[in-house]
Amino acid sequence: MTFPFRPLRAAAVAACALALAACARSPAPPPEPVNFIAEGRPEKLSDWRLLAASEGQLVLNQEVLPYTLNTPLFSDYAHKLRTVWMPKGVSAAYQADAAFDFPVGTIISKTFYYPRDGAGQAVLASDDKGDASRLDLKKVRLMETRLLVRRAEGWIALPYVWNAQQTEAVLQRTGEQIPLEMATPQGKQKFTYVVPNVNQCASCHVADLKSKKFEPLGLKARHINLGGQLEQLAAAGYLHGAPPSAQAPRNADWRDPKASIDARARAYLDINCAHCHNDKGTANTTALHLEIGAPANQHLGLCKPPVAAGAGTGGNSFGINPGKPDDSIFVFRLKSTETGVMMPELGRTTSHREGVELIRAWIGAMQESCN
């Protein structure tokens, strides 16, 4: 009497199995959209929903667009995942020489991280490639994520420091100091990674000392004009008014051996130094103008005596002594890690060996004379 029911039971089991398989194949629900917070200072990075640590990876939310720079700013060999996001219906206005004019609602992020060595104990000193939009958290150490948020009253800077578990980053308005060990070709060295406070962020991002105008540093045509990024921003609805890439300014990649030594060195100084050293910046009293388009004269440092003598000169007479890099203040200050001497004075506690060698080679190739 039980046999007639066996096919029914088997069919029911098969139907349940098919239903479970269908459930397993169904896509996960989309993440909640990015959360633009118009007021206050949220304590957790996750409140913004820009990116998240999920299943062992750091992943970007939908419509959060990564970008990279031709020549990145040096920050103790840290790598950086750079992103931009804007609400629907608004976009940035293209400007050829200055930072793009971003609308209210824009969120720019920069996540600082290091590749780990094979043992997972030390971080690696290597070039910032800036091309990773999904990070394997077993292979990297997240340090901090800095946000620039364009609110109705202007830009606000917010530094978030990642916890040891790499699950969340917490706001640190007063900054942070994190001891690390770095594996370099010369061996392992201990150093302190410094997260800036919000006031230090402003000191670099103030483009005009008189008006206190605050602007992003990297999102300028000459820095991001590579790999079709201008077109990608336009296609995403994030940029309007941009010319074709071939007609937009473009800095050299400082690592590119095919570019001239002058183009590479000028690009390096432009991104690392020019945000302060220009005729409107916070270091305008030095009369050093290190933007890419500044003329190659005394304002660039050629045969230029220092504004004030002292430890910062290293006993050298000129910013750039053509043909004599080791008698030039530029090289001395770039090599230094001493507070009050080193340049740039913020954003690093180590010396960028490769960057110093680039500037040494550039000065060494100069034919002028200060005599």
Side-chain angles (χ1 to χ4, degrees), residues 6-17:
R6 286 178 181 172
L8 294 176
R9 292 172 61 190
V13 169
C16 288

Side-chain angles (χ1 to χ4, degrees), residues 319-369:
I320 293 174
N321 195 339
K324 301 178 180 179
D326 293 322
D327 296 334
S328 299
I329 297 172
F330 272 35
V331 171
F332 174 72
R333 302 195 79 171
L334 284 170
K335 286 173 57 177
S336 177
T337 57
E338 182 182 344
T339 301
V341 173
M342 68 179 187
M343 283 289 169
E345 59 186 356
L346 296 175
R348 71 177 181 92
T349 59
T350 63
S351 177
H352 189 198
R353 294 178 299 275
E354 297 82 359
V356 171
E357 286 308 306
L358 171 68
I359 300 304
R360 287 189 79 259
W362 176 58
I363 295 174
M366 294 179 179
Q367 301 297 316
E368 297 89 348
S369 173

Side-chain angles (χ1 to χ4, degrees), residues 148 155-157 198 201-203 205-208 212-216:
L148 287 182
W155 289 99
I156 182 173
V198 293
C201 292
S203 70
H205 285 275
V206 171
D208 188 323
K212 305 298 183 185
K213 180 184 178 183
F214 191 106
E215 67 177 30

Side-chain angles (χ1 to χ4, degrees), residues 42-64:
E43 287 298 314
K44 297 184 296 181
L45 180 63
S46 59
D47 292 335
W48 298 90
R49 298 200 292 265
L50 282 171
L51 44 81
S54 175
E55 298 182 353
Q57 293 185 319
L58 186 71
V59 295
L60 304 180
N61 204 341
Q62 296 177 352
E63 300 179 348
V64 176

Side-chain angles (χ1 to χ4, degrees), residues 109-307:
S109 81
K110 186 160 60 173
T111 297
F112 293 67
Y113 67 95
Y114 286 99
R116 295 181 184 270
D117 69 355
Q121 301 300 315
V123 299
L124 295 176
S126 59
D127 285 339
D128 175 16
K129 301 301 183 184
D131 55 2
S133 58
R134 183 180 289 263
L135 300 176
D136 184 344
L137 297 180
K138 292 181 181 179
K139 297 181 179 179
V140 303
R141 173 164 179 176
L142 302 177
M143 302 304 299
E144 57 167 319
T145 296
R146 301 179 194 173
L147 299 188
L148 287 182
V149 181
R150 180 65 168 87
R151 290 175 168 170
E153 65 275 15
W155 289 99
I156 182 173
L158 299 170
Y160 291 87
V161 177
W162 284 89
N163 60 20
Q165 296 77 29
Q166 301 200 126
T167 56
E168 179 64 274
V170 179
L171 182 65
Q172 294 285 358
R173 294 180 61 187
T174 58
E176 184 69 277
Q177 296 188 8
I178 305 169
L180 290 176
E181 186 174 54
M182 179 182 291
T184 75
Q186 292 74 35
K188 291 185 177 180
Q189 69 176 74
K190 296 184 183 297
F191 75 106
T192 300
Y193 180 91
V194 178
V195 178
N197 62 51
V198 293
N199 292 329
Q200 289 172 318
C201 292
S203 70
C204 288
H205 285 275
V206 171
D208 188 323
L209 189 60
K210 184 177 293 186
S211 67
K212 305 298 183 185
K213 180 184 178 183
F214 191 106
E215 67 177 30
L217 299 179
L219 279 164
K220 299 176 181 177
R222 64 183 184 268
H223 296 317
I224 68 166
N225 184 8
L226 73 157
Q229 288 189 140
L230 293 176
E231 288 82 359
Q232 291 164 17
L233 284 168
Y238 287 175
L239 183 64
H240 68 269
S245 294
Q247 299 174 21
R250 182 181 186 275
N251 275 12
D253 180 342
W254 74 277
R255 299 155 292 199
D256 182 6
K258 296 179 182 178
S260 70
I261 187 70
D262 185 68
R264 293 164 58 202
R266 292 296 300 268
Y268 186 87
L269 294 173
D270 188 31
I271 192 64
N272 282 282
C273 312
H275 48 274
C276 291
H277 285 286
N278 62 76
D279 60 356
K280 296 181 180 178
T282 54
N284 64 0
T285 56
T286 66
L288 272 177
H289 300 165
L290 302 183
E291 318 99 298
I292 194 74
N297 57 22
Q298 196 174 50
H299 286 298
L300 185 64
L302 293 170
C303 302
K304 181 184 181 303
V307 172

